[in-house]
Amino acid sequence: MKNAVLSGGIIGVLSIIWIFAMPRLGVMPQKDVVAPVEYFSFIIPAIGLFFGIMSYRKNECNGQMGFLEALFQSFKILIVGGIIAVFGSILYISYVSSSEANIKDFSERIFGALIVGVLLAFAVSLLFTNKANKLD
């Protein structure tokens, strides 16, 4: 669980930094409009999951890990990172943002991040799976 908290914490903190940096870059979430720079935000969970699962396989699984084990660890990392990112979004909406319409726009972005995170979890789990699970 230590690995999930550390990797998820890194994802969460980087996501909060991204949320607070977007307005400084001139990007505000708007309904039905996604700025091209917003697409780069998927790099945060991709890198966090990649290094988190790589570290988990190396340090706790002795280099051998099955798909379900990697997927479960990926979801733990994403849950920790997601909780921190949502908390940061709530702080941003409550204290920094001036418009009430941003709540809906941010919730759409967070839901999109959930979908991207799940897809990345499957991809990273497939990437680091090296132990076959036999089903008899």
Side-chain angles (χ1 to χ4, degrees), residues 8-134:
I10 291 170
I11 290 172
V13 169
L14 289 176
S15 296
I16 289 173
I17 292 170
W18 181 259
I19 290 168
F20 280 87
M22 278 194 328
R24 300 214 187 267
L25 297 171
V27 178
M28 290 298 297
Q30 298 174 359
K31 183 178 182 174
D32 300 330
V33 177
V34 179
V37 73
E38 286 184 86
Y39 289 114
F40 289 105
S41 64
F42 85 93
I43 294 172
I44 296 169
I47 291 173
L49 278 174
F50 181 83
F51 287 113
I53 297 300
M54 184 173 66
S55 171
Y56 180 75
R57 184 177 81 172
K58 178 182 172 188
N59 297 327
E60 297 186 30
C61 296
N62 298 324
Q64 296 293 317
M65 183 169 54
F67 175 74
L68 291 178
E69 190 175 7
L71 188 62
F72 185 67
Q73 185 68 17
S74 296
F75 285 149
K76 289 193 297 187
I77 291 170
L78 287 175
I79 288 171
V80 171
I83 289 171
I84 295 170
V86 167
F87 178 72
S89 295
I90 291 170
L91 288 177
Y92 178 81
I93 292 168
S94 298
Y95 297 110
V96 178
S97 178
S98 60
S99 174
E100 287 297 319
N102 283 337
I103 294 172
K104 184 174 182 280
D105 297 331
F106 262 92
S107 65
E108 291 172 356
R109 299 304 197 274
I110 294 295
F111 182 72
L114 170 70
I115 293 171
V116 168
V118 169
L119 292 174
L120 286 171
F122 278 102
V124 170
S125 297
L126 283 172
L127 185 67
F128 284 104
T129 298
N130 61 357
K131 181 173 76 173
N133 293 333
K134 285 188 171 183

